[in-house]
Amino acid sequence: CWSQRGGPVTHVFRGTFIHSTPETALQVLEDALLGVDTAGKISFIGKGENLLELSQKFGFNPSDVNQLAQHEFFMPGMIDTHIHASQYSYAGTALDMPLLQWLNTYTFPVESHFKDLEFAKKVYTQVVKRTLRNGTTTACYFATIHTDASLLLGQIANDFGQRALVGKVCMDRNNSVKHYRETVQESVDETHRFIKELLNKKYPLVKPVVTPRFAPSCTEALLEQLGTIAKNNNLHIQSHISENIDELKLVKELFPDSETYTDIYHKFNLLTDKTIMAHGCHLSDKELTVFRETGTSLSHCPNSNVSLCSGILDARNVLNHKVKLGLGTDVAGGYSSSILDAVRRTLDASKVLTIQNPQHQTLTFEEVFRLATLGGSQALSLDDQIGNFEIGKDFDALRVNVAARGGPIDLVQCKEPKVVDHLTSYSLFPPICPLKGDDRNIVEVFVAGRKVVPCEDLALE
Ligand code: GUN
Ligand code: FE
């Protein structure tokens, strides 16, 4: 039986709940009852058979219980630990160059347009709506260097009810676009203004992140000041690391005194238990050890790693080093804004490593499901609040209908016993069929107990 705690309950759901715990990659709770309180937190999880007892204890009417349909289940909201909101404007195009050329040819010119707040509003509204629709209840965003547009992204995430970490990008060198660059002083002053103004809004689900773009874009003077700002304000930090071989060469030239790429960030106090670094395809075991020791997390961005021909992250090795790991779409290096796509591609990347080396221990679907949910919450140091269905955590959840009308899954019951056993190894029918699903199967999305898809507030549509 699952434990319970008191509190005024506003919603109660009954049906199948699927989630991860640190011990079990994929746990299925069948015929469960889950209560959500007025603060949007999970107040109890119990068994369906205890409905009467629970209704008395938590003061709800048994006839108010929201019963899931036969083909439905709840899973935790998915977490995108690395996405460039500003690059959503060209996702799916311009993937014909490796990283450094891609940044100079397409990315910096596109990002420079976010000086225009009208344009920023359109793109940021689309990316927040689309990712919520895809089941991303928490997103860790890069915006651009523009403080006002970055604040607007925070406002839009708040208005649509998405949980978000938002970074105003900092960079003071190596940029093809002259007017898309800051001095150290501008970058520091604007970072201070961004943090102060975003915190002043008191959005309950949106936090600022200190965001040095990556070492090649930042002088030592800027990295040093950003490390100090993050420390003094106890803030999250995000950046990129060890994505591409040419990038590693450039880093060696720019920072001849640092032994490794990791040492550069470490030296400036940018590796903390609230830091998330994207990619890390080419990190050494020694660097991964520094990640573990400092509590730094990695965001695995498999679509981008292949789309920009950057490399293949050995996620198994990262997990073996006990480094916190989440999934990222890395739009627009990655062309899909869906974490379900990142799940599929994480499995593909792991299988490619097994093709290359049969000794490689391929990640399982269950492990990757955990990376998309609980793993992401750990990577963002939010696992005390979100990531799975634990009492006291916020109810961030997806109501999935495997048989959604017009959706991509056809429920054909297979009679072959071996396959049936595999599909129903969680004694579930219908099976989860996760690798065939898409946003059409996500019928409702909740963040902190509020239904954000379909959108309650038509004014936001
Ligand atoms: N490294 C520095 N900036 C970027 C970016 O915008 N996308 C990716 N994929 N890598 C980066
Ligand atoms: Fe990125």
Side-chain angles (χ1 to χ4, degrees):
C1 191
W2 307 299
S3 52
Q4 307 154 359
R5 70 171 210 180
V9 166
T10 54
H11 307 293
V12 181
F13 299 98
R14 182 171 184 171
T16 300
F17 288 77
I18 299 173
H19 73 158
S20 305
T21 70
E23 297 75 33
T24 310
L26 196 149
Q27 187 178 62
V28 178
L29 309 173
E30 282 180 282
D31 191 27
L33 274 168
L34 182 147
V36 182
D37 69 17
T38 44
K41 293 185 190 303
I42 299 169
S43 51
F44 67 85
I45 306 177
K47 296 196 179 197
E49 66 200 43
N50 298 331
L51 174 61
L52 269 179
E53 188 193 312
L54 287 166
S55 67
Q56 281 160 11
K57 179 162 180 189
F58 291 96
F60 64 89
N61 187 338
S63 63
D64 290 342
V65 169
N66 187 330
Q67 174 76 49
L68 297 196
Q70 194 198 351
H71 293 148
E72 291 185 331
F73 62 85
F74 267 112
M75 63 174 278
M78 293 188 281
I79 299 176
D80 190 340
T81 59
H82 184 81
I83 172 167
H84 297 260
S86 48
Q87 295 173 18
Y88 187 68
S89 53
Y90 70 106
T93 55
L95 290 170
D96 56 342
M97 290 178 194
L99 177 67
L100 300 177
Q101 291 91 320
W102 175 83
L103 286 171
N104 277 319
T105 309
Y106 305 116
T107 307
F108 297 147
V110 168
E111 288 189 11
S112 71
H113 287 277
F114 285 74
K115 194 174 164 22
D116 173 356
L117 287 175
E118 279 304 305
F119 176 65
K121 184 176 177 185
K122 279 189 196 143
V123 176
Y124 289 161
T125 300
Q126 280 174 349
V127 71
V128 168
K129 284 172 72 170
R130 172 61 61 187
T131 52
L132 277 173
R133 223 8 309 4
N134 289 342
T136 301
T137 50
T138 299
C140 185
Y141 286 117
F142 275 59
T144 60
I145 68 169
H146 312 99
T147 305
D148 292 318
S150 304
L151 289 166
L152 188 58
L153 174 57
Q155 183 196 322
I156 290 167
N158 175 70
D159 289 351
F160 283 95
Q162 189 173 49
R163 193 183 300 277
L165 293 166
V166 178
K168 171 230 166 299
V169 173
C170 296
M171 49 185 192
D172 69 335
R173 65 165 163 180
N174 289 320
N175 180 331
S176 58
V177 181
K178 256 203 242 89
H179 52 276
Y180 189 52
R181 200 186 304 155
E182 313 162 283
T183 64
V184 180
Q185 202 53 49
E186 281 165 353
S187 194
V188 168
D189 290 349
E190 288 299 292
T191 296
H192 278 301
R193 178 164 84 84
F194 173 69
I195 294 164
K196 186 167 163 233
E197 292 191 19
L198 191 63
L199 292 176
N200 275 345
K201 301 281 188 189
K202 302 207 184 316
Y203 299 136
L205 303 176
V206 180
K207 293 182 202 294
V209 200
V210 174
T211 306
R213 176 167 213 123
F214 70 153
S217 293
C218 303
T219 57
E220 299 207 356
L222 179 56
L223 291 173
E224 181 174 7
Q225 298 233 38
L226 294 176
T228 304
I229 293 174
K231 191 170 185 176
N232 290 345
N233 300 281
N234 185 26
L235 292 176
H236 281 81
I237 298 167
Q238 62 180 348
S239 191
H240 298 86
I241 195 166
S242 217
E243 178 175 358
N244 156 296
I245 298 290
D246 286 340
E247 173 204 9
L248 299 191
K249 287 186 192 142
L250 179 59
V251 164
K252 273 234 165 310
E253 281 167 34
L254 294 171
F255 299 88
D257 300 336
S258 289
E259 202 187 314
T260 66
Y261 201 156
T262 298
D263 284 344
I264 300 166
Y265 292 130
H266 197 20
K267 180 170 163 190
F268 297 115
N269 297 317
L270 290 162
L271 300 185
T272 74
D273 62 2
K274 290 173 86 172
T275 300
I276 181 141
M277 288 283 166
H279 306 285
C281 305
H282 306 286
L283 289 173
S284 65
D285 287 353
K286 197 170 145 200
E287 290 177 284
L288 286 174
T289 303
V290 177
F291 270 61
R292 190 194 44 236
E293 287 167 357
T294 54
T296 303
S297 319
L298 257 192
S299 173
H300 183 18
C301 304
N303 188 320
S304 170
N305 289 343
V306 171
S307 292
L308 294 177
C309 297
S310 299
I312 296 186
L313 175 73
D314 186 344
R316 172 65 68 202
N317 190 43
V318 174
L319 293 175
N320 286 344
H321 279 80
K322 304 220 176 317
V323 172
K324 294 180 285 179
L325 184 65
L327 302 186
T329 58
D330 193 31
V331 163
Y335 56 77
S336 169
S337 62
S338 159
I339 286 293
L340 204 48
D341 169 86
V343 166
R344 286 188 266 260
R345 277 159 207 285
T346 297
L347 283 164
D348 286 356
S350 186
K351 288 178 182 185
V352 168
L353 292 174
T354 301
I355 292 168
Q356 291 173 344
N357 169 17
Q359 305 297 313
H360 178 80
Q361 194 192 347
T362 318
L363 295 183
T364 64
F365 165 71
E366 291 83 349
E367 287 178 298
V368 182
F369 175 91
R370 177 159 63 188
L371 294 182
T373 54
L374 185 62
S377 73
Q378 293 165 337
L380 297 178
S381 290
L382 295 174
D383 50 316
D384 56 337
Q385 266 180 66
I386 53 169
N388 63 5
F389 297 126
E390 252 179 49
I391 292 159
K393 286 193 180 182
D394 283 11
F395 185 64
D396 284 19
L398 314 181
R399 184 175 188 148
V400 177
N401 185 344
V402 178
R405 239 175 197 284
I409 300 175
D410 301 305
L411 287 179
V412 183
Q413 187 158 20
C414 178
K415 296 282 195 282
E416 161 56 42
K418 286 223 160 101
V419 178
V420 172
D421 280 358
H422 181 73
L423 291 177
T424 58
S425 55
Y426 310 105
S427 68
L428 263 189
F429 195 85
I432 313 170
C433 288
L435 299 180
K436 284 168 68 178
D438 66 18
D439 59 300
R440 287 168 290 185
N441 299 102
I442 300 174
V443 290
E444 288 178 342
V445 178
F446 294 84
V447 180
R450 170 181 168 200
K451 195 195 288 183
V452 295
V453 173
C455 202
E456 276 170 356
D457 182 353
L458 289 177
L460 295 174
E461 284 298 319

